Amino acid sequence: MAVSCSNGIKRTSQEFLFKNGCVFFSAFLLCFPLSLAGTITVINDPVTAALGDNVTLGISIDERVLFCTWHRGIVDVNNFILRVVNGAQTVGPQYTRRESVLLPSHSLRIANATLADSGTYWVHIIFLPSVKYVLSNLTLKVLERISGVEVNISKNDVVEYNNSVDLSCNFTGTQETLQWIKDKETLEIKPGIELSNNNLSLHISNTSRDHTGNYSCKVCNAINCNISNSQHLNVYYGTDLPIITVYPKQPILAGSSVNIACTSASNPLPLYQWFLNDTLKPFMQTHAITNITKADEGTYRCVASNNQTGRMSSASIYITVTDSRFENGKLSAGAIAGISIGVVVSLALILTVGAVLLKKLRMPDENRSNASKARTNGNVNISNGLPIYENHLPDVHHQGNTGRSLESEASVYTDLQYKSDSTYSELERSKNKK
């Protein structure tokens, strides 16, 4: 930022007193330069430096400098750091032996920066040949590197809903940001979690199982970041209401193999006890029963206990064992399935036998039909519903030795009938004599 006298900055002739009897410049020339040339460009603002580093407050100029002065904090002609006139440097009351003006840019260099060096710096320059007076400023931030970050915790082991926990983040360096981390993720600030003391302190009230995890803090500034070790918070809880599972599902058939299990949410893992009809049984968390019988039927109760919280809870289930054929006085599903399969098989067998018999009954009719067709194709006449078979001789009339006509010898077969479906019952032969 460049400011001229026309912007209301009060100037006195003392500001332009040069060493060894330099001439005075009139206020007119300061406030009304002869040209618009001569500017100061700040290279970087703000400037950040680590404690102990060398830092340069860089500027660039576009005209020859007649007069240059650097101030820290406020602009005061009697309270400056360095003044340069025609290349010669003069120290002021704010000089600490660590500052110098870098020529020809007229930037200010500070060696071994301290936290006290942080602040606003002003530079004002008179340019030649314009004799223009320009004032500009920039900010320096000196920060101590972050180191030695660690987290402290009031208690590592607590009981759910019975305790509160306090954590604190400690470090050396200049803090700009501080972040709390749980299990490698940014901690979500929910009801029951409070931050104080510029986020250095973390308070968890009425701890629950959700608060279990590893806590750390991350501290950063513009120079560096550093993350702490982690502190583990262990919250004891439970036991919750147990859940009992039985496989296979009920009702259970006698002779089956059965698995019964009990689970309860708890930290640490709970102790399990089983009771059958109020009698303690030496069962584990999961118990297997092979070849279950009616003697195994009854109320199974699981009791889960936690020696850290002093809490216990229980749940029960009634297991019913049924006969393999009957369930509650009715046929079992297996029996019904077996009967159904038997009925289907029987029906299939009956249908098959019926089809075979029907086919055999139809076969004689087919044979008679075929025979009828065969008779029709030969010399067969039907008389009174009976087939007559004739033997025809050639149509030649001559006498044999007996003196009878050959035609008279033609034989006629009648009454060729079936007595049964497979044989002829009677065969009569008759001769019709002419």
Side-chain angles (χ1 to χ4, degrees):
M1 178 181 66
V3 182
S4 66
C5 291
S6 60
N7 289 334
I9 302 295
K10 184 177 180 180
R11 306 291 177 237
T12 64
S13 59
Q14 294 177 357
E15 292 182 69
F16 310 106
L17 182 61
F18 295 168
K19 187 179 179 179
N20 298 325
C22 292
V23 298
F24 290 92
F25 286 89
S26 66
F28 178 82
L29 292 178
L30 292 176
C31 296
F32 303 98
L34 298 180
S35 72
L36 297 179
T39 58
I40 299 174
T41 302
V42 176
I43 296 176
N44 191 19
D45 184 32
V47 177
T48 302
L51 180 66
D53 285 355
N54 299 329
V55 58
T56 298
L57 307 181
I59 61 173
S60 63
I61 54 179
D62 58 1
E63 195 174 359
R64 189 163 64 90
V65 175
L66 175 63
F67 174 92
C68 173
T69 303
W70 278 93
H71 297 267
R72 181 186 292 117
I74 60 174
V75 178
D76 186 346
V77 67
N78 294 318
N79 190 19
F80 61 92
I81 303 172
L82 284 171
R83 177 175 293 152
V84 180
V85 179
N86 287 330
Q89 297 190 19
T90 301
V91 300
Q94 293 184 337
Y95 180 70
T96 63
R97 298 179 181 274
R98 295 178 295 110
E99 298 86 3
S100 60
V101 175
L102 303 179
L103 300 177
S105 68
H106 289 78
S107 299
L108 180 65
R109 182 178 184 274
I110 302 175
N112 193 22
T114 66
L115 297 178
D117 292 330
S118 298
T120 302
Y121 288 75
W122 294 84
V123 57
H124 60 88
I125 296 176
I126 297 176
F127 292 99
L128 288 177
S130 63
V131 195
K132 180 181 179 180
Y133 177 86
V134 179
L135 182 67
S136 185
N137 71 330
L138 68 165
T139 301
L140 171 63
K141 295 173 64 176
V142 179
L143 305 174
E144 183 179 0
R145 294 179 182 273
I146 304 297
S147 62
V149 184
E150 65 177 3
V151 169
N152 295 322
I153 188 170
S154 59
K155 297 177 182 178
N156 288 100
D157 299 306
V158 295
V159 176
E160 187 175 39
Y161 309 131
N162 282 6
N163 301 102
S164 296
V165 175
D166 291 294
L167 297 98
S168 61
C169 183
N170 303 301
F171 60 92
T172 58
T174 305
Q175 170 195 346
E176 289 189 324
T177 62
L178 190 150
Q179 179 183 18
W180 283 95
I181 298 171
K182 177 178 179 284
D183 297 329
K184 298 183 179 181
E185 294 184 359
T186 300
L187 175 65
E188 183 178 357
I189 306 302
K190 298 180 179 179
I193 299 178
E194 299 176 1
L195 295 176
S196 61
N197 191 22
N198 198 22
N199 295 342
L200 293 173
S201 299
L202 173 65
H203 177 75
I204 303 175
S205 59
N206 200 26
T207 53
S208 69
R209 64 192 69 184
D210 294 335
H211 296 136
T212 299
N214 296 306
Y215 290 80
S216 59
C217 66
K218 181 180 180 181
V219 186
C220 294
N221 60 27
I223 303 302
N224 73 319
C225 291
N226 208 317
I227 190 168
S228 72
N229 60 313
S230 63
Q231 288 282 2
H232 182 71
L233 175 60
N234 180 39
V235 180
Y236 296 122
Y237 61 87
T239 57
D240 290 356
L241 183 66
I243 298 175
I244 298 177
T245 56
V246 178
Y247 182 82
K249 294 182 178 180
Q250 299 203 67
I252 298 172
L253 300 181
S256 301
S257 294
V258 178
N259 287 318
I260 181 170
C262 180
T263 56
S264 173
S266 177
N267 178 36
L269 294 176
L271 172 67
Y272 292 99
Q273 288 180 305
W274 282 99
F275 293 83
L276 174 56
N277 298 325
D278 295 328
T279 301
L280 180 64
K281 294 293 182 178
F283 297 165
M284 305 295 290
Q285 178 183 0
T286 300
H287 178 63
I289 306 173
T290 58
N291 193 22
I292 194 169
T293 65
K294 273 287 186 179
D296 298 312
E297 185 176 78
T299 300
Y300 286 75
R301 183 163 61 97
C302 171
V303 178
S305 58
N306 185 322
N307 59 358
Q308 290 291 340
T309 63
R311 300 165 186 165
M312 66 174 55
S313 56
S314 66
S316 60
I317 190 172
Y318 191 88
I319 293 182
T320 302
V321 180
T322 64
D323 184 85
S324 59
R325 294 170 298 172
F326 294 93
E327 296 175 0
N328 298 326
K330 299 179 181 180
L331 284 174
S332 65
I336 293 173
I339 293 173
S340 300
I341 293 173
V343 170
V344 172
V345 172
S346 298
L347 288 175
L349 181 60
I350 291 171
L351 292 175
T352 302
V353 172
V356 171
L357 292 176
L358 182 60
K359 185 175 181 182
K360 288 185 177 181
L361 289 174
R362 288 179 176 177
M363 286 180 63
D365 294 338
E366 294 177 358
N367 291 336
R368 285 196 295 269
S369 176
N370 294 334
S372 177
K373 291 180 182 179
R375 291 195 298 270
T376 302
N377 292 333
N379 298 321
V380 180
N381 294 323
I382 303 299
S383 176
N384 296 323
L386 298 176
I388 300 174
Y389 297 87
E390 296 181 355
N391 292 331
H392 295 280
L393 297 177
D395 191 16
V396 179
H397 298 277
H398 62 277
Q399 299 291 327
N401 296 329
T402 61
R404 293 182 297 176
S405 172
L406 292 176
E407 186 178 359
S408 64
E409 297 296 325
S411 299
V412 178
Y413 297 88
T414 62
D415 197 20
L416 182 60
Q417 301 181 32
Y418 299 101
K419 271 192 175 182
S420 63
D421 292 335
S422 59
T423 60
Y424 295 102
S425 62
E426 181 180 355
L427 181 62
E428 293 183 355
R429 180 181 180 186
S430 64
K431 298 181 180 179
N432 295 325
K433 297 182 180 180
K434 293 183 180 180

